[in-house]
Amino acid sequence: MLVLGGTWFLGKEVVGGALARGWDVTTFNRGRSAPDTPGTVPIHGDRTSQHDLRRLARSGPWDAVIDTSSSDLPPREVLLATQALRDQVARWVHISTVSVYAGWPHEHLTENSALLQCPPDADETYGYTGTDGSPTKYGFQKAGGEGAVSEVFSDRSVFLRPGVILGPGEYVGRLPWWLCRAHRGGRILAPAPAGRRIQPVDVRDVAAFALDQAADSATGAFNVAHPEGVTFDGFLTGCLEVTGGAGHPVWESAGRLMQHDVKQWTELPMWRTHTGVWAVDSSKAVAAGLRCRPLGETISDTWAWLRADGRPVAHPRWAKHGIDPEKEEKILAGADQT
């Protein structure tokens, strides 16, 4: 198997899982983010370089490739990679996102929901982000990336569309921020309603499903979201329990949070008012073998990783997550007066 990426978070879990299954694994990355996993055949290069891609292709063939490294690339770069590897890879498993749906995060989503439209050879300027944060330029770009894979690999391709991926090694900073906030204790600003159900999925479960699809013959797309999920209250309770934080949530309505210009999705990670944000149907993936561990296990294992000096790969998205303590206290103080 070939893994594009393969040294951190999802890519690292994919590689570890493949080696555990006894597979021969080649990784292709720039060799900058993290060490190569022992037991792999590492090839270093830039996937945006045609010269490096041709050099990679000469090391094939492979039964399958899992592409974990295209999240920040425009469709034309995905297209170049698929064209370079067309004759060296039997099957392409592409890690995509629920953001490719035209209706996300407003509507209930299945794999039959309409997609955003983006040419497979589009550059990084294509698309836009709506005034309410949807659709996103990122979603257009990822939809174009899917189109690039389909154009070259057609019925030899499969697309995994996760929403939020959490777990040890997370570089975005969503769960780590909530864990650190819970550990700090005190009154914790929380987005009402407490019973709202969220569907983040563990990185290890996404990796296992990706490997299953690499070995399978099914084609098409799968939504990868936790089929049961957890309430936001259950999520915060889990964070408080594992960290030993002496704190408690103070639930504030969406209206009050927006009055204080709390940025959805980032200042209070995973909070968003749109009704469809956590309405992703993953029953097709479950029928195909997706198994999701209880999110309490994800919370506990991520805290253990952080406590063991877990250090994610440096990424600018980490700094975007979490509300400033002074802003949080100001909102909480206002709650005392109402």
Side-chain angles (χ1 to χ4, degrees), residues 74-280:
R76 67 179 182 184
E77 302 293 357
V78 178
L79 185 61
L80 286 175
T82 58
Q83 290 170 337
L85 297 171
R86 181 200 313 261
D87 299 325
Q88 297 298 323
V89 173
R91 182 170 175 78
W92 191 289
V93 179
H94 195 72
I95 307 300
S96 185
T97 170
V98 293
S99 296
V100 299
Y101 290 112
W104 190 86
H106 301 277
E107 303 170 3
H108 175 86
L109 297 174
T110 72
E111 289 82 0
N112 294 322
S113 299
L115 303 182
L116 296 170
Q117 297 301 304
C118 177
D121 59 351
D123 65 17
E124 63 277 1
T125 65
Y126 193 91
Y128 64 92
T129 296
T131 55
D132 70 341
S134 63
T136 63
K137 186 174 182 179
Y138 171 73
F140 280 104
Q141 295 273 311
K142 291 294 283 184
E146 287 195 14
V149 175
S150 292
E151 181 171 296
V152 176
F153 277 82
S154 186
D155 60 359
R156 295 187 290 144
S157 59
V158 62
F159 304 96
L160 307 190
R161 296 172 180 159
V164 171
I165 304 177
L166 304 178
E170 184 197 336
Y171 64 91
V172 176
R174 296 184 177 106
L175 177 52
W177 184 84
W178 279 114
L179 284 165
C180 292
R181 180 62 191 89
H183 184 247
R184 195 167 81 237
R187 298 188 307 164
I188 302 171
L189 183 64
R196 175 178 294 169
R197 202 156 273 277
I198 60 177
Q199 296 177 280
V201 62
D202 192 290
V203 62
R204 295 162 291 187
D205 299 330
V206 179
F209 187 64
L211 292 168
D212 290 344
Q213 294 310 304
D216 202 353
S217 59
T219 60
F222 294 94
N223 293 334
V224 185
H226 203 294
E228 299 161 3
V230 65
T231 64
F232 224 113
D233 185 36
F235 173 77
L236 291 186
T237 297
C239 290
L240 286 163
E241 287 178 350
V242 302
T243 62
H248 66 276
V250 177
W251 300 95
E252 284 289 349
S253 69
R256 272 190 51 79
L257 293 175
M258 287 189 286
Q259 283 177 2
H260 288 274
D261 295 321
V262 177
K263 294 182 178 63
Q264 297 187 42
W265 210 236
T266 53
E267 284 193 296
L268 292 181
M270 295 187 292
W271 166 64
R272 201 164 183 175
T273 57
H274 302 82
T275 57
V277 66
W278 297 114
V280 179

Side-chain angles (χ1 to χ4, degrees), residues 40-75:
T40 63
V41 177
I43 299 175
H44 291 161
D46 188 337
R47 63 174 293 166
T48 67
S49 163
Q50 293 190 50
H51 174 269
D52 288 356
L53 287 171
R54 287 194 294 268
R55 178 167 54 84
L56 170 65
R58 290 195 292 269
S59 298
W62 297 275
D63 297 311
V65 59
I66 298 181
D67 185 357
T68 69
S69 68
S70 66
S71 62
D72 296 322
L73 295 177

